[in-house]
Amino acid sequence: MSAWCCVNGRYGPIDEATVPINDRGFLFGDSVYEVFHVHDGRLWAAERHYRRLGRSLEAIGLNADLEAIRGWVDETLRQSRLAEAMVYLHVTRGVAPRNHAFPPDLKPTVVITVRPLVAMPEAERRRGVKAITVPEVRWRRRDIKSTNLLPNVLAKQQAIRAGAYEALFVEADGTVNEGSSTNVFLVRDGALHTPAKGPQILPGITRDLLVETAREQGYAVEERTVKLSELFEADEVFLSGTTTEALGVVEVDSRRIADGQVGLVTRGLFEAYSERVRQGRD
Ligand code: PDD
């Protein structure tokens, strides 16, 4: 089987699934989501993702049955028979005639898709990727994993057009927040630095796992404000994300980072993270 999905507990091929046009997720982006990585048939970091989903739902005042959702996710994955996959889980406030205000007691719409995930080619990972910077234009609750991703979509497209992999959102004062779908780290003098958690960034699951892994390996990790100028003075820069894992950045805005190669710390952390995944230690 390949791409498979579930809409409110009904399973089937993705191409045959539909949601009503009055769904508030479609009309307003009134919805939150999660993306999981499936390794060897197992939902990686499931508890962390469900905890974050719970926080996103609570932050927008959406009551959904998390136990039912977990059951649907497991069953969709089982029916897909995929071992290396990406699970997309989307919970909307439900269906109602278009009106910004929502009626009470709507039934949430839950959409789950499972798709095969092809790992990034090793040569590409070894080469590293380029990033561009874009002005931070998003709302101030980026800690909520909302499906309102228009700025992220446009930023990523701008990166692709520029021949880059990612766009980093940077405030007018030079503060670097995160990528359009990744968190960002820098390495300087053997220590890691990454923007602190707060409303300004998504608290990435991979970010947290890499911070823990780095500390286990004896690295100091500072979670604090990071400025764009620091990226250019860094020994290494890397991105983190569910499907990105730890990916070296060798160029930002056409300026080379250090010697323009993926650094040893990034490489080592990627290996340690991959080992952690193999051990199922999430
Ligand atoms: N994106 N920052 C943003 C804005 C993101 O959208 C993501 C994830 C991350 C990394 O978080 P995590 O490590 O939990 O994947 C950071 C997902 C993968 C997506 O939208 O497809």
Side-chain angles (χ1 to χ4, degrees), residues 41-171:
R42 178 172 174 270
L43 214 52
W44 169 248
E47 295 311 318
R48 296 179 193 247
H49 282 282
Y50 285 125
R51 220 176 299 135
R52 185 172 66 186
L53 176 66
R55 281 201 307 270
S56 295
L57 289 167
E58 200 184 327
I60 68 163
L62 204 169
N63 284 320
D65 182 348
L66 266 177
E67 277 314 303
I69 290 174
R70 291 178 72 127
W72 289 336
V73 168
D74 290 346
E75 182 57 17
T76 316
L77 179 58
R78 195 189 66 77
Q79 291 190 16
S80 78
R81 286 191 242 129
L82 290 168
E84 298 303 316
M86 189 180 91
V87 173
Y88 174 73
L89 165 59
H90 183 158
V91 185
T92 87
R93 200 177 301 275
V95 181
R98 187 179 182 281
N99 187 336
H100 287 62
F102 43 87
D105 305 325
L106 281 185
K107 181 171 148 308
T109 302
V110 179
V111 172
I112 299 153
T113 62
V114 183
R115 284 160 39 194
L117 188 69
V118 183
M120 177 180 243
E122 180 57 23
E124 206 175 316
R125 191 171 280 284
R126 279 192 180 279
R127 227 179 3 254
V129 296
K130 299 176 185 175
I132 60 164
T133 59
V134 292
E136 180 60 272
V137 292
R138 299 174 298 164
W139 75 330
R140 295 195 187 154
R141 289 304 308 276
R142 300 163 212 137
D143 54 322
I144 300 173
K145 202 159 169 58
S146 142
T147 61
N148 284 280
L149 292 171
L150 189 54
N152 308 56
V153 165
L154 297 178
K156 183 77 94 181
Q157 197 62 28
Q158 196 177 326
I160 302 301
R161 269 203 312 272
Y165 176 90
E166 183 58 298
L168 301 173
F169 286 110
V170 179
E171 304 279 3

Side-chain angles (χ1 to χ4, degrees), residues 33 35 52 145 152 178-183 202 204-206 241-242:
Y33 77 108
V35 177
R52 185 172 66 186
K145 202 159 169 58
N152 308 56
E178 60 184 337
S180 69
S181 64
T182 55
N183 292 111
L202 184 80
I205 306 292
T206 322
T242 292

